Amino acid sequence: MNDQTSQPPYVYEGLDPVPETKSAISEVSDAVKGAANRVSEAIESGRKPGMPLSILANVAREAPLGALLVAFLLGVAVARRR
């Protein structure tokens, strides 16, 4: 028999990698990218047949002057409220 026992390896803080700190600019950039992705997904889901953006696009395609008139009148109505 051997009286010597093997010792476990030394544990110190250097074994775990240090997490990289993100700068404020990169955090803002990630947030903007995430928001842009969510907006584009919402627009894509709104363009599916029968959804509001699809209906609006069809109306504007079939009667562009009428759609322009409606947009103008809505703009005037919103501008007068302010």
Side-chain angles (χ1 to χ4, degrees):
M1 263 196 157
N2 192 354
D3 289 338
Q4 294 178 349
T5 59
S6 64
Q7 294 180 350
Y10 292 107
V11 178
Y12 61 97
E13 293 179 21
L15 288 178
D16 294 331
V18 177
E20 294 182 25
T21 57
K22 294 178 94 175
S23 69
I25 294 173
S26 64
E27 288 181 11
V28 169
S29 173
D30 291 342
V32 168
K33 286 178 186 176
N37 286 338
R38 287 191 297 275
V39 167
S40 65
E41 289 172 3
I43 290 172
E44 287 301 319
S45 67
R47 287 185 178 171
K48 291 180 182 176
M51 298 299 285
L53 288 179
S54 173
I55 294 170
L56 215 73
N58 289 338
V59 168
R61 192 176 304 116
E62 292 174 8
L65 289 178
L68 184 61
L69 175 65
V70 170
F72 175 75
L73 292 176
L74 284 173
V76 168
V78 169
R80 286 185 178 224
R81 288 186 182 174
R82 291 181 182 198

